[in-house]
């Protein structure tokens, strides 16, 4: 998982891709920092919800009174995060190559974060 720091907040690349998708689908004009934080939070919640469900509702009332009401499906998530996933796989393959290992050498993975 790739993380970036923006204005003192750590933002996950997957969350950011969902956030951009929300902006695109909702055709929102520039947001206040509070509304941007709200939608980034909703993006992270939707990503986590998809762990055990096929689709995730995303709802938020912005400070302008505008409503965001979308549904993120697993397929949409896979489509919009494909480039991030490919970058992650490239990094893993390089790490395995540098360590002189193959995927079959890995006995388990511990997810952190």
């Amino acid at each position: 998982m790739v993380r970036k720091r923006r204005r003192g907040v750590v933002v996950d690349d997957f969350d950011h891709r969902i956030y951009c998708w929300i902006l695109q689908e909702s055709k929102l004009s520039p947001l206040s920092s509070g509304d941007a934080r709200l939608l980034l939070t909703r993006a992270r919640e939707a990503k986590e919800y998809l762990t055990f469900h096929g689709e995730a509702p995303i709802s938020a009332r912005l400070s302008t009174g505008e409503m965001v009401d979308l549904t993120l499906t697993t397929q949409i998530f896979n489509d919009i995060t494909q480039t991030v996933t490919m970058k992650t796989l490239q990094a893993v393959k390089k790490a395995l190559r540098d360590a002189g290992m193959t995927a079959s050498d890995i006995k388990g993975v511990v997810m952190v974060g």
Side-chain angles (χ1 to χ4, degrees):
M1 189 175 342
V2 179
R3 292 174 126 27
K4 294 182 181 176
R5 189 167 278 286
R6 296 196 177 121
R7 295 186 188 198
V9 177
V10 175
V11 179
D12 179 289
D13 280 353
F14 290 92
D15 297 351
H16 191 256
R17 284 301 309 131
I18 298 168
Y19 169 79
C20 290
W21 175 80
I22 293 169
L23 295 180
Q24 179 182 341
E25 291 298 306
S26 299
K27 297 174 179 52
L28 294 172
S29 55
L31 299 175
S32 68
S33 60
D35 287 341
R37 277 192 307 274
L38 173 63
L39 291 181
L40 276 167
T41 299
R42 293 295 188 268
R44 180 183 41 80
E45 292 168 349
K47 176 191 71 182
E48 292 171 359
Y49 192 83
L50 283 177
T51 301
F52 299 107
H53 303 88
E55 54 185 42
I58 301 172
S59 293
R61 180 175 299 282
L62 305 179
S63 62
T64 61
E66 292 174 279
M67 276 298 298
V68 172
D69 192 20
L70 299 168
T71 300
L72 179 66
T73 65
T74 302
Q75 184 60 54
I76 292 169
F77 177 80
N78 291 339
D79 291 345
I80 65 176
T81 61
Q82 185 176 14
T83 56
V84 177
T85 302
M86 294 309 295
K87 284 182 188 179
T88 303
L89 287 173
Q90 289 171 350
V92 169
K93 288 177 183 177
K94 182 181 182 324
L96 285 171
R97 186 177 61 246
D98 291 350
M101 300 173 72
T102 66
S104 61
D105 295 326
I106 304 300
K107 302 289 186 256
V109 176
V110 177
M111 302 295 283
V112 179

